[in-house]
Amino acid sequence: MLALRLTRAARLAVQLRRLLVASASAGTGFLLLCALGHALTHPDAPGASSLRLAWCAAPLAATVYLAVAVARADPGTRPRPGLSAIGLGPGRLMAVSATTTALSAALGSVAALLGFLYLRGDLTGAPVDGAVSGVLALGQRLPAPAVVTLLALVPAAASAAVALTLRPRAPRPAPSAGSRRYGRFGAYGWGAARETFGAYGRYGARLASASASAPAPASASASASASASASASASASASAQPAGGRPAGAAQADPSGALLTQASDTRPPATTDGDGSAQDATGPVPGTPRSHTTLLPWGIAVLTAGLAVETYAGDTATRDAAPSAGVLLGWALATLGLALAGPGLTHLCGRLLQAVRPGALRLLAGRVLMEESHRVGRPLGVVCAVASAAYAAAALHDADATDFGPLSLIGAVVVAGCTVATLLTAAVEAKHARSDTTDALLRLGAPPTTLRAAAALRAGALLAVFGPLTLVVAQLASLPLAR
């Protein structure tokens, strides 16, 4: 009920994005039903029916990808302060997002079923004649379990992906800056911050080691008094120092007599905000863009392997109309490599914009690209992969003059529309994420034309890098198909 109320009260832009999810789900569900109809019409060709069903994985993956992007950009299901007190914590909001996604996809599946029944003539009594009549299973009864299973595949996959993406994650523990045991040179264990030169041999730093080598007290009361005196001296020394500070190389002894020292702190002390929670100064500095080039070498490797596999399969394949399985596998690896390399290439675009004495405009555009590489990089790589696939399909059509048919056109429209819509949704999400920075720049007196020029510069840099790369990869991928 809460998911329905949030869906009804959402803004127009959110409703349009959910309508896109429903449309993509309708197209994918219709293709799945057509694969079922082909299997019922041609029972003597199970291989062709299985191939049609396997090709439905592409629009299914694109629909799920769009559903996840729409769920992440939904402002109504984001965690807010105070919602946990009324039972709307991160886990409940994740469940609401998954339920909303399932409702949108289920609406599309119902529309696909109605359209399929209309073409079969079950609703009007007159079936539609045309190119799709061979996959409608005219005159045959549709098995209800198979229809329900295929139509429930898209909502189940989309809601599961949303739940997995938006699941509550425990914050990573901060690196411990506690004391460490000193030993000989090269002993195991380094602290969070290394000590300065000469901290180990500072005067008085090794006095506790002599007490450690002394015989232990004979009774338990003596050991308890020793530990109490050590803790009292430690608290007295701590009260003599200012809050958050300690002299470099200070040494303490634990109750067992081992020497415990603290690495010299060259960083500022931890600050405390208004609610009393301490903020560690060792955390990342706000505004510093993180590096997202980790998957760039893997993406290049997968891309190179895909092109090599496709070239080898094209050289050894026979000159028939249909491409071999090796060519298709190589093309899939090549497009996967582009998707993996997208964030790294976007991050490098930001670095290139800031090279060679940048001005304020280039510096702003480059820093924004580096910060948003994890949001727009992967959708941009997927768009480039789909563009290379479209180029390869066009090359195959020009070389062999093959007709793909209306179902192939529906699949291409679903995949292309989902990838472009995902990229636009990610761009909107990134714009909302940097809204505070944009407002701060406007308050400082930055003209709006500068912000628009920075956005145009970012778009031009991405187009200058990803455009030629997509054309080169698409040309190399289409060479075995055009032979």
Side-chain angles (χ1 to χ4, degrees):
M1 186 61 65
L2 179 60
L4 289 175
R5 295 184 65 180
L6 289 177
T7 301
R8 187 182 60 180
R11 294 180 299 178
L12 180 59
V14 178
Q15 298 288 6
L16 290 178
R17 289 196 290 263
R18 291 172 181 170
L19 184 60
L20 287 177
V21 174
S23 302
S25 177
T28 306
F30 182 78
L31 292 177
L32 291 172
L33 292 178
C34 288
L36 175 62
H38 185 273
L40 294 176
T41 307
H42 306 85
D44 53 344
S49 301
S50 301
L51 185 60
R52 284 176 176 267
L53 186 61
W55 272 107
C56 294
L60 175 62
T63 303
V64 171
Y65 194 44
L66 175 62
V68 171
V70 169
R72 290 185 58 178
D74 191 357
T77 56
R78 293 177 183 174
R80 293 182 179 88
L83 289 182
S84 298
I86 59 175
L88 291 178
R92 184 71 180 276
L93 291 178
M94 178 267 296
V96 170
S97 298
T99 305
T100 305
T101 304
L103 290 176
S104 301
L107 179 62
S109 297
V110 172
L113 178 60
L114 293 178
F116 188 76
L117 294 178
Y118 175 79
L119 293 179
R120 278 172 48 90
D122 295 338
L123 300 180
T124 59
V128 177
D129 296 333
V132 297
S133 59
V135 295
L136 296 178
L138 300 177
Q140 300 185 23
R141 183 178 180 182
L142 295 177
V147 172
V148 172
T149 301
L150 291 177
L151 291 180
L153 185 60
V154 179
S159 60
V162 168
L164 183 63
T165 304
L166 302 182
R167 69 186 185 276
R169 294 179 176 87
R172 294 183 178 179
S176 176
S179 57
R180 50 163 289 199
R181 295 178 181 269
Y182 275 95
R184 65 184 185 278
F185 177 76
Y188 174 77
W190 282 100
R194 297 187 178 183
E195 63 276 2
T196 57
F197 178 76
Y200 180 72
R202 193 167 295 159
Y203 176 77
R206 302 179 64 183
L207 293 180
S209 60
S211 62
S213 61
S219 60
S221 60
S223 62
S225 62
S227 61
S229 62
S231 60
S233 62
S235 61
S237 62
S239 61
Q241 296 294 332
R246 178 165 38 206
Q252 296 179 2
D254 60 355
S256 62
L259 177 62
L260 297 179
T261 60
Q262 174 70 27
S264 59
D265 194 1
T266 59
R267 295 161 299 185
T271 58
T272 305
D273 52 6
D275 56 356
S277 60
Q279 299 175 353
D280 190 9
T282 62
V285 180
T288 303
R290 297 175 295 173
S291 177
H292 301 283
T293 58
T294 307
L295 293 179
L296 181 58
W298 292 99
I300 294 175
V302 173
L303 176 61
T304 306
L307 293 177
V309 168
E310 187 174 359
T311 303
Y312 177 77
D315 292 338
T316 57
T318 58
R319 299 298 190 267
D320 53 355
S324 62
V327 173
L328 296 178
L329 177 61
W331 171 78
L333 288 176
T335 53
L336 178 61
L338 277 176
L340 290 177
L345 291 176
T346 306
H347 192 273
L348 290 181
C349 285
R351 286 191 176 274
L352 290 177
L353 279 178
Q354 302 175 78
V356 193
R357 301 178 64 181
L361 184 62
R362 289 170 52 197
L363 187 62
L364 177 61
R367 298 285 286 188
V368 170
L369 270 184
M370 292 172 63
E371 184 66 27
E372 296 176 354
S373 59
H374 66 288
R375 286 191 177 95
V376 258
R378 194 175 298 275
L380 190 57
V382 173
V383 168
C384 292
V386 172
S388 64
Y391 186 90
L396 178 62
H397 181 270
D398 294 339
D400 299 332
T402 56
D403 190 9
F404 293 106
L407 296 182
S408 300
L409 182 60
I410 292 176
V413 169
V414 168
V415 172
C418 287
T419 52
V420 173
T422 303
L423 178 59
L424 296 179
T425 304
V428 171
E429 182 186 2
K431 181 181 179 181
H432 290 166
R434 66 171 186 271
S435 60
D436 296 338
T437 304
T438 304
D439 295 340
L441 289 175
L442 292 177
R443 286 195 303 268
L444 289 175
T449 55
T450 303
L451 301 180
R452 289 192 291 267
L457 186 59
R458 291 195 301 270
L462 291 176
L463 185 61
V465 172
F466 282 91
L469 178 62
T470 304
L471 291 178
V472 169
V473 173
Q475 183 66 30
L476 293 177
S478 62
L479 285 179
L481 303 178
R483 292 179 182 177

